[in-house]
């Protein structure tokens, strides 16, 4: 699938996200980089109501917040300790969902992250999470 702009797919790292996605990120080399993550809603992402499935939004948000918390897994890895979310509105096939997670604090072992997913600049989903910081995978 062609994705708009300079976004690139994140594949080959997490089999579950590969299966659920594809999920994309904006490389740090992109102009105006702000730590953006995105995916385009496909029929496979939808529920029986023809709207994006809540589990897909949760998986996408977890993907994005973990990427942000670990600097794209360059220096460490992580696992999600807690995750809370609110469904604000729907998204439909063809919509692009974008988020810019905010890392609020990192301690020696935890990172605190939150964000909002947008469709056409309107909020559709909000989330907050605590992740356990781990040493890089071998």
């Amino acid at each position: 699938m062609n994705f708009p702009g300079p976004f690139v797919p994140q594949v080959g790292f997490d089999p579950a996200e590969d299966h659920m996605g594809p999920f994309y990120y904006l490389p740090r080399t992109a102009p105006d980089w702000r730590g953006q993550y995105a995916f385009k809603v496909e029929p496979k992402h939808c529920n029986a109501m023809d709207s994006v499935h809540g589990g897909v939004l949760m998986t996408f948000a977890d993907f994005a917040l973990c990427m942000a918390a670990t600097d794209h897994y360059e220096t460490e890895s992580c696992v999600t300790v807690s995750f809370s979310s609110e469904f604000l509105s729907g998204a439909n096939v063809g919509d692009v969902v974008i988020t810019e997670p905010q890392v609020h604090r990192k301690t020696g072992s935890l990172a605190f992250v939150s964000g909002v997913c947008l469709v056409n600049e309107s909020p559709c989903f909000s989330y907050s999470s605590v992740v356990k910081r781990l040493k890089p995978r071998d």
Side-chain angles (χ1 to χ4, degrees):
M1 171 207 301
N2 292 330
F3 198 79
F7 284 88
V8 296
Q10 171 67 30
V11 294
F13 181 75
D14 186 307
E17 291 169 356
D18 289 349
H19 178 74
M20 184 79 67
F23 298 141
Y24 295 80
Y25 69 97
L26 194 61
R28 291 174 188 224
T29 56
D32 300 323
W33 182 83
R34 296 186 314 265
Q36 289 184 316
Y37 304 87
F39 81 101
K40 188 171 186 175
V41 179
E42 301 176 23
K44 73 175 187 170
H45 298 132
C46 293
N47 58 26
M49 306 303 292
D50 290 327
S51 180
V52 68
H53 193 286
V56 174
L57 288 172
M58 293 169 79
T59 302
F60 169 66
D62 190 62
F63 151 78
L65 70 88
C66 285
M67 289 278 281
T70 63
D71 297 322
H72 291 210
Y73 296 100
E74 289 180 9
T75 59
E76 62 188 343
S77 188
C78 72
V79 292
T80 305
V81 174
S82 70
F83 182 93
S84 64
S85 61
E86 293 77 34
F87 300 97
L88 306 173
S89 68
N92 301 304
V93 172
D95 286 341
V96 175
V97 179
I98 295 178
T99 191
E100 294 179 19
Q102 302 299 307
V103 178
H104 299 288
R105 182 168 186 241
K106 281 188 176 185
T107 68
S109 62
L110 300 173
F112 300 82
V113 187
S114 69
V116 176
C117 293
L118 304 172
V119 173
N120 297 321
E121 300 184 21
S122 294
C124 69
F125 181 77
S126 64
Y127 58 90
S128 64
S129 183
V130 177
V131 297
K132 171 85 173 136
R133 299 172 68 192
L134 304 171
K135 294 180 182 177
R137 299 188 322 180
D138 291 330

